[in-house]
Amino acid sequence: MTTNAVTLLDVVALTVNLPEYNLWRGQVGTVVETLAGGSAFEVEFGDRSGRTYESVGLRPEQIMVLRFEPALPNIETEIVTASP
């Protein structure tokens, strides 16, 4: 994933497990801050009531942006695989 593909308020999913935060691959959060000039992002994870249960700084390779519309043909996609 390229860093310019992630923007403020994007809905993202984890591509890795983060057991130290009790967060697991596939959990969904929202980008709430751009850190280090776009080389990291603060992502909030909340419950169905909207209460934040974790907020973590993550690198672009640890998340994927969830898209709700078809991707445009000029957008390059990159497959990210998680190591076991």
Side-chain angles (χ1 to χ4, degrees), residues 1-13:
M1 169 173 288
T2 59
T3 57
N4 62 7
V6 181
T7 59
L8 192 62
L9 301 181
D10 275 346
V11 176
V12 297

Side-chain angles (χ1 to χ4, degrees), residues 14 16-25 27 45 53-59 62:
L14 281 175
V16 295
N17 292 326
L18 299 173
E20 63 274 25
Y21 298 105
N22 198 29
L23 295 172
W24 308 99
R25 184 173 167 234
Q27 282 188 269
F45 296 88
Y53 58 84
E54 194 62 73
S55 184
V56 183
L58 299 170
R59 295 181 312 277
Q62 294 176 296

Side-chain angles (χ1 to χ4, degrees), residues 45-84:
F45 296 88
D47 62 20
R48 291 180 189 250
S49 299
R51 290 177 286 219
T52 300
Y53 58 84
E54 194 62 73
S55 184
V56 183
L58 299 170
R59 295 181 312 277
E61 62 270 12
Q62 294 176 296
I63 56 177
M64 66 178 290
V65 176
L66 300 179
R67 308 232 181 256
F68 298 96
E69 300 291 331
L72 299 174
N74 62 349
I75 295 177
E76 288 186 34
T77 58
E78 181 178 324
I79 296 175
V80 178
T81 57
S83 37

